[in-house]
Amino acid sequence: MSLDPDRAELIADLRSAVRDVCTDLGGTAAVRALDPAGAGWDAKAWTVLTQQVGVGALGLPEAVDGVGGMPEILAVAEELGVHLLPVPFLTSTVMAGQILARCAGSDAVLTALAAGAETATVATVTADRTPFARSGDRISGVAQAVPDGVGATWLIAAAGDTLALVDLRRPGVRVEPVASLDLSRPAARITLDEVTARILTEDATAAVSGALPMIRLAVAAEQLGGAQACLDRTVAHVKQRRQFGRAIGSFQAVKHTLADMLVQVELARSAVDRAVQAPDDPATLAEAALVARVWCCDAYRFVSAEAVQLHGGIGFTWEHDAHLYFRRARADAAMLGTVAAAREELAALLAW
């Protein structure tokens, strides 16, 4: 998918707008300011991003006022990954939006998601971890750690071969905040007790697998943004931190580590850029998404860990942002199944 100059310029403007919102609203400071009893994300930030910037509509069908596609989604995901702004873009717009777009009769919900009036989340995107059971049009079960589950309006729940849409305001629903490794993306335990749901499709595998490449790429772009932020913050730190009368960035061992971090970030960026430039073909997109998944998971985990080390003692404190990125890196790596499973899937896809 080769981007024409006009679209590339619009994407650059979109990046700039999202970056400005993140900066104005505090970025990582917004994570620390989250209300434990609130929605689990920054409601003001999400309102600004959806109503003024329009990120809630990205990648959705034109019939529900959707705009843009994969390049726009990845640009926004990367900027949000840089700043860790706690908003449900990945879970509501990308995960839920991409799945619902593949299910008939979802226009009303998608329209609400696009406008930012409602949000949705997904219990799981891997068929082997389906937490729910179905009896007729009723769904029961417990999902233990649903990202952005607190405050969400809708839940997409897989029950065997069925994919169902559950209104989390209905009787029989219990949503409880749970401790999350990723402080910038709070999680919830969602219990459904014979809750009436709307059946989206009897072929959950097709709906989820069709959306999965875009979801993987959005997570990869988010990881790229986080890795770049770790590198930039670390370079700034070693330039001004002095030891033995000189900046620690002048020490050879530190230089070597920074070089390794840069290589990892550039490999991750290449994987994401390769997906954006790939031909618009489902098989090609699936392969590019898996490659980006593997490279970006490894890069973010490595770079975030080295960032903690190179910040020294302050990097290990709860007051420093390094641990927020460290946590996000590991939570993102676990979100869509293991990296080892992604490697195996990629090998099978390429007939290795």
Side-chain angles (χ1 to χ4, degrees):
M1 181 190 302
S2 180
L3 298 181
D4 62 75
D6 289 341
R7 188 176 185 185
E9 184 177 353
L10 289 173
I11 291 173
D13 291 342
L14 176 62
R15 280 182 180 273
S16 179
V18 173
R19 186 181 305 123
D20 289 345
V21 170
C22 291
T23 301
D24 292 345
L25 296 178
T28 54
V31 177
R32 303 180 188 281
L34 284 177
D35 181 0
W41 62 77
D42 189 322
K44 178 182 178 181
W46 188 234
T47 298
V48 172
L49 284 171
T50 54
Q51 297 184 8
Q52 297 184 25
V53 184
V55 304
L58 293 180
L60 300 184
E62 291 184 6
V64 298
D65 298 324
V67 295
M70 179 179 67
E72 288 79 8
I73 286 176
L74 301 191
V76 171
E78 183 180 343
E79 288 300 326
L80 294 178
V82 169
H83 300 277
L84 298 183
L85 194 68
V87 292
F89 175 72
L90 177 66
T91 50
S92 186
T93 302
V94 183
M95 289 186 171
Q98 288 296 310
I99 292 173
L100 287 172
R102 288 162 172 78
C103 300
S106 300
D107 283 4
V109 176
L110 284 170
T111 299
L113 298 188
E118 298 176 350
T119 63
T121 188
V122 183
T124 180
V125 293
T126 53
D128 59 335
R129 293 190 294 173
T130 301
F132 297 108
R134 173 190 175 189
S135 177
D137 64 350
R138 295 180 180 272
I139 304 296
S140 299
V142 181
Q144 293 294 342
V146 181
D148 291 328
V150 178
T153 315
W154 301 94
L155 172 72
I156 297 176
D161 294 330
T162 298
L163 205 60
L165 183 65
V166 178
D167 186 340
L168 294 177
R169 298 161 293 190
R170 280 184 172 276
V173 175
R174 187 166 71 252
V175 180
E176 306 164 279
V178 297
S180 173
L181 175 63
D182 183 0
L183 301 182
S184 58
R185 184 174 287 136
R189 178 186 298 108
I190 298 181
T191 303
L192 306 180
D193 185 9
E194 294 290 315
V195 178
T196 302
R198 181 160 69 83
I199 305 304
L200 294 170
T201 177
E202 300 288 356
D203 190 355
T205 301
V208 173
S209 62
L212 195 52
M214 184 75 83
I215 294 171
R216 283 172 169 157
L217 285 170
V219 175
E222 178 181 276
Q223 292 170 316
L224 168 60
Q228 184 69 64
C230 289
L231 176 60
D232 292 343
R233 286 166 173 251
T234 305
V235 169
H237 174 75
V238 301
K239 284 181 177 179
Q240 61 87 27
R241 178 73 170 95
R242 300 183 68 82
Q243 195 68 274
F244 306 112
R246 56 194 286 199
I248 64 173
S250 65
F251 299 152
Q252 188 176 42
V254 173
K255 290 180 180 179
H256 286 173
T257 301
L258 289 172
D260 290 340
M261 293 169 69
L262 175 61
V263 168
Q264 291 296 317
V265 171
E266 290 304 311
L267 287 170
R269 186 171 301 283
S270 295
V272 173
D273 287 348
R274 174 175 175 266
V276 173
Q277 299 297 330
D280 191 7
D281 169 71
T284 303
L285 181 63
E287 182 265 344
L290 283 166
V291 169
R293 168 77 179 156
V294 171
W295 278 113
C296 292
C297 282
D298 288 349
Y300 198 8
R301 286 187 296 188
F302 173 80
V303 173
S304 62
E306 294 301 331
V308 171
Q309 294 291 331
L310 290 182
H311 275 85
I314 192 174
F316 285 84
T317 66
W318 291 118
E319 292 76 17
H320 199 275
D321 285 346
H323 81 91
L324 296 178
Y325 290 96
F326 182 91
R327 286 165 171 256
R328 168 65 72 87
R330 279 136 191 84
D332 275 358
M335 178 177 285
L336 304 175
T338 67
V339 181
R343 286 193 172 94
E344 291 177 1
E345 186 177 342
L346 177 61
L349 184 65
L350 298 175
W352 285 355

